[in-house]
Amino acid sequence: RADIVALAALDRSTARAADAPRVLVVGATGQTGALVVRELSRAGRARAIVAGARSAAKATKLGLDALPGVEILDGVDVTRGVDALALAFEGFDVVVVATGFVPGNPLKMNAAARAVDNEGVCAVADAAKRANVKRVVLISSILTNGPGFGAQDTAGYKITNAFGRVLEEKLVGENHLRASGVPWTIVRPAGLKTDAPKNPLVVTGEDVMTSGEISRELVARVMVEAAFDARAEGKVYEIAESGSFVGGDPAGAKTFALDSDPASWFA
């Protein structure tokens, strides 16, 4: 009897593994992208986890190839165009996009932001459509649509957008993804910090948050959970940690303890 029960449990486990998605993380060597890969490995819910990187050497240096169930795919770069990305996306069910331009030369910041956050995300959407990807989960930013809800004069919008007009470029990328026909989820975190999360997770719909901070580790957890939760499809989530806002937590926001069941985040 015990043997029969054990075999039945094994059969169910095998079936789940066969049905589990194959996940590609684009931007896997970035600060948040690497955390997404680690969280996927820890969760153990994907049939395959592939860290897509412009440089396999950097991914190896970060130890991503040593994580259980993780493989590295070299040469995955959102600026390489649709054809190269579509080839890289073949066979994947979910593509998690954790890219973002890194501010550098002030004279070239707008070109860099356009190449990654605008044209790069548009290329991802078109490539995902061509490769029949079942969902794209994109990390973006609060205030991306600042002017659309009257927040263009807030300090957060002005300061962030001063870096290469990055919020304007992100908005073009977001809108292209939403219109692409590819199932999508967009996660807009508040200001990113590197320390571990300390306060409850705050979640709102789109065009609500104008300030706040959140641990990259917590962002990675939300990205991974969104990748596996069908209820997150076609939705925008803005996230931050409670107590980090100017003037208090947003009215009507949902707040979740750090040890809460992630299934409740997208209800």
Side-chain angles (χ1 to χ4, degrees), residues 3-244:
D3 290 343
I4 294 174
V5 172
L7 285 171
L10 180 60
D11 288 342
R12 288 194 298 271
S13 176
T14 302
R16 284 197 300 270
D19 293 338
R22 300 185 75 249
V23 182
L24 171 67
V25 180
V26 180
T29 59
Q31 292 185 70
T32 304
L35 290 170
V36 171
V37 175
R38 293 181 184 280
E39 180 63 20
L40 282 166
S41 176
R42 185 201 65 77
R45 294 161 62 188
R47 180 158 46 102
I49 306 164
V50 177
R54 289 182 297 173
S55 166
K58 183 175 180 180
T60 299
K61 186 176 181 179
L62 291 171
L64 299 184
D65 59 332
L67 296 171
V70 175
E71 299 177 7
I72 294 173
L73 181 60
D74 192 25
V76 180
D77 184 343
V78 299
T79 66
R80 290 184 61 191
V82 175
D83 290 343
L85 288 171
L87 185 61
F89 292 176
E90 284 290 340
F92 287 100
D93 302 297
V94 178
V95 173
V96 178
V97 186
T99 55
F101 105 103
V102 178
N105 185 334
L107 300 178
K108 297 180 179 180
M109 278 200 298
N110 182 237
R114 182 180 300 113
V116 176
D117 294 289
N118 173 341
E119 295 168 353
V121 172
C122 291
V124 164
D126 293 344
K129 179 72 171 178
R130 186 184 300 180
N132 295 313
V133 171
K134 295 176 182 176
R135 181 113 67 88
V136 172
V137 182
L138 173 69
I139 184 172
S140 186
S141 172
I142 64 167
L143 288 165
T144 290
N145 188 37
F149 68 108
Q152 67 271 20
D153 292 326
T154 62
Y157 185 86
K158 288 181 176 179
I159 292 170
T160 304
N161 204 46
F163 292 95
R165 299 201 295 275
V166 64
L167 294 176
E168 297 172 52
E169 304 297 349
K170 283 182 179 295
L171 183 60
V172 176
E174 276 193 14
N175 287 341
H176 190 87
L177 175 60
R178 293 167 81 151
S180 68
V182 177
W184 55 269
T185 301
I186 296 172
V187 178
R188 294 175 174 173
L192 299 171
K193 56 182 184 177
T194 57
D195 53 334
K198 298 181 178 65
N199 299 303
L201 170 68
V202 177
V203 181
T204 71
E206 60 186 304
D207 300 342
V208 174
M209 295 185 184
T210 59
S211 64
E213 291 184 325
I214 187 168
S215 164
R216 290 181 186 271
E217 179 183 320
L218 187 52
V219 173
R221 288 176 58 192
V222 173
M223 295 287 285
V224 169
E225 291 299 329
F228 293 107
D229 197 318
R231 295 171 300 175
E233 183 179 317
K235 295 179 182 176
V236 179
Y237 297 95
E238 297 186 347
I239 57 174
E241 287 183 49
S242 181
S244 67

